[in-house]
Amino acid sequence: MLTKPIYNITPFTLLDYPNHSACIFWYAGCNMRCLYCYNPEIVLGKGMFSIDEAFSFLNSRKGLLDAVVFSGGECTLHKNFFEQVEAIKKLGFLVKIDTNGSNPEVLEQLINEKAIDYVALDFKAPKAKFERITQSKVYASFEKTLEMLLKHSISFEIRTTLHSELLTILDINEMITYLSQLGFQGNYYVQNFKNNVPTLGNLVSSFKINEKQITTTSNINVVFRN
């Protein structure tokens, strides 16, 4: 167990929890090695903040922040993560989890105990490309997480980072069709890759796809984040 599991703390954001002010706890380490990953220093690095230090920070922000976002890396992998989230929830903060979906059991426990309020689930790639892009073999766990979220009433969003060398318009449309067939309703965020930033993979520059070629459905709202 990392004695200091949190790589960094973003003290304030209005962008990461819909309609609320929040801070972000960036947990070190991940079980994926996504080629386009923006946070190689977090994925490969070590934590610099202990849970006690994180709590000290939050106690100084009571009344100033609405929510805490747990991100990474993959935050759900850390030992005692459930207890950490539950304790912060008891302080009166809303809680959002950013996850790659590889740990559905922990996420479902948090939902059942009403310890979290919002989930952002990364949909990395369609099944045929998932292993290559993520350098992992956890697609079945991702599917289990998605199906679990669909059966619960918790608010959640799905998001995909789009690098044109890794995913095509056909891939994105396949992913939208897949979500529609499962009965997903809500926002599906497609985040265009930002060029000229350090990543885990040696990628060439990405170009923006033609958004008009994206499949639209009555139940899924595709939102592009540039």
Side-chain angles (χ1 to χ4, degrees):
M1 175 185 176
L2 291 173
T3 56
K4 293 190 174 185
I6 299 171
Y7 179 86
N8 201 1
I9 296 174
T10 298
F12 181 81
T13 175
L14 292 174
L15 300 176
D16 289 83
Y17 195 120
N19 304 313
H20 290 286
S21 61
C23 65
I24 308 173
F25 290 172
W26 300 93
Y27 277 68
C30 189
N31 56 346
M32 293 184 181
R33 294 293 183 268
C34 300
L35 299 176
Y36 59 78
C37 180
Y38 291 129
N39 301 318
E41 72 285 357
I42 297 176
V43 169
L44 302 176
K46 296 181 179 180
M48 293 184 282
F49 292 88
S50 68
I51 297 304
D52 287 343
E53 289 170 320
F55 270 81
S56 178
F57 166 79
L58 285 179
N59 281 320
S60 72
R61 295 300 188 274
K62 284 185 177 180
L64 301 175
L65 294 175
D66 301 325
V68 178
V69 177
F70 290 84
S71 194
E74 178 54 37
C75 57
T76 66
L77 297 176
H78 286 267
K79 187 177 180 180
N80 301 322
F81 182 70
F82 175 84
E83 290 79 8
Q84 294 163 22
V85 174
E86 190 174 46
I88 287 174
K89 180 66 175 174
K90 288 178 179 178
L91 291 178
F93 293 97
L94 296 169
V95 173
K96 172 178 176 253
I97 303 292
D98 292 345
T99 181
N100 61 25
S102 62
N103 204 355
E105 291 78 15
V106 168
L107 198 62
E108 185 159 35
Q109 182 185 12
L110 289 165
I111 292 172
N112 287 336
E113 295 297 326
K114 302 187 185 321
I116 59 176
D117 305 281
Y118 194 89
V119 176
L121 176 64
D122 290 327
F123 191 177
K124 303 290 188 177
K127 185 176 182 179
K129 288 188 173 182
F130 191 91
E131 184 173 342
R132 173 179 174 259
I133 289 176
T134 67
Q135 303 292 294
S136 71
K137 297 182 179 181
V138 295
Y139 185 79
S141 294
F142 160 78
E143 281 195 309
K144 186 175 180 180
T145 295
L146 175 56
E147 292 168 0
M148 180 267 294
L149 288 172
L150 287 168
K151 78 177 184 181
H152 285 282
S153 60
I154 190 170
S155 297
F156 73 100
E157 66 182 52
I158 299 174
R159 58 193 189 182
T160 297
T161 297
L162 172 60
H163 191 294
S164 58
E165 289 296 308
L166 302 176
L167 295 174
T168 66
I169 290 173
L170 291 177
D171 292 325
I172 297 297
N173 284 338
E174 178 186 343
M175 294 158 78
I176 293 170
T177 299
Y178 167 77
L179 292 173
S180 180
Q181 290 173 343
L182 285 180
F184 172 69
Q185 300 181 41
N187 289 334
Y188 173 44
Y189 293 97
V190 179
Q191 305 170 160
N192 282 298
F193 178 82
K194 296 178 183 177
N195 292 315
N196 303 314
V197 296
T199 62
L200 286 175
N202 186 22
L203 300 176
V204 299
S205 293
S206 177
F207 60 85
K208 292 181 181 180
I209 64 172
N210 185 348
E211 297 177 13
K212 294 181 180 180
Q213 294 181 290
I214 296 299
T215 298
T216 58
T217 73
S218 59
N219 295 326
I220 298 176
N221 181 36
V222 182
V223 180
F224 280 86
R225 289 171 171 164
N226 298 315

